[in-house]
Amino acid sequence: MTVPKLRDIVQKVRSKNAGPFWLTIDIFCGSEEAFQAVQTKLKTDAVARLYGADSQLLKRFEMPDLNVVKISLPRPATQGAIDDRDMHGASWAALLAEMEL
């Protein structure tokens, strides 16, 4: 039995810059059923491990009226610093989209 990946059950996963110190990842579920699955199966601690972040610093927002889950986390490097590999924060979504639920 194949374990579904996040991208298999949601409409879109998008990440973006949320200022020089934070990134935001939006999970657009597209339906109440997908939202419930993400709400239940996507664990905040697992997301923190995926990004090598402290789970105590992650912020998770669940918006059932929109069927959206939003996760914000500190950037590993300040935006625009020499060691910042993604100034716009756009590539972070791809990693989460591949996470098995």
Side-chain angles (χ1 to χ4, degrees):
M1 183 173 181
T2 305
V3 178
K5 295 182 179 183
L6 181 62
R7 67 175 162 80
D8 297 329
I9 64 168
V10 302
Q11 192 173 37
K12 183 175 188 165
V13 181
R14 174 184 74 184
S15 60
K16 60 188 176 193
N17 183 31
F21 307 110
W22 286 85
L23 296 162
T24 293
I25 303 166
D26 301 315
I27 304 165
F28 298 94
C29 299
S31 70
E32 185 177 346
E33 180 183 9
F35 176 78
Q36 293 297 326
V38 171
Q39 187 180 36
T40 303
K41 296 178 182 179
L42 184 66
K43 304 298 182 195
T44 303
D45 288 342
V47 174
R49 281 191 304 277
L50 179 68
Y51 292 117
D54 181 347
S55 64
Q56 297 296 316
L57 298 177
L58 260 69
K59 297 179 182 183
R60 179 175 172 146
F61 306 93
E62 296 176 353
M63 296 165 266
D65 291 345
L66 300 173
N67 294 320
V68 171
V69 175
K70 179 184 202 95
I71 298 171
S72 295
L73 64 148
R75 295 177 69 98
T78 302
Q79 181 189 22
I82 197 163
D83 54 345
D84 181 16
R85 298 180 64 187
D86 182 5
M87 193 159 152
H88 299 289
S91 67
W92 292 75
L95 190 58
L96 187 60
E98 293 298 315
M99 179 182 253
E100 292 182 345
L101 295 182

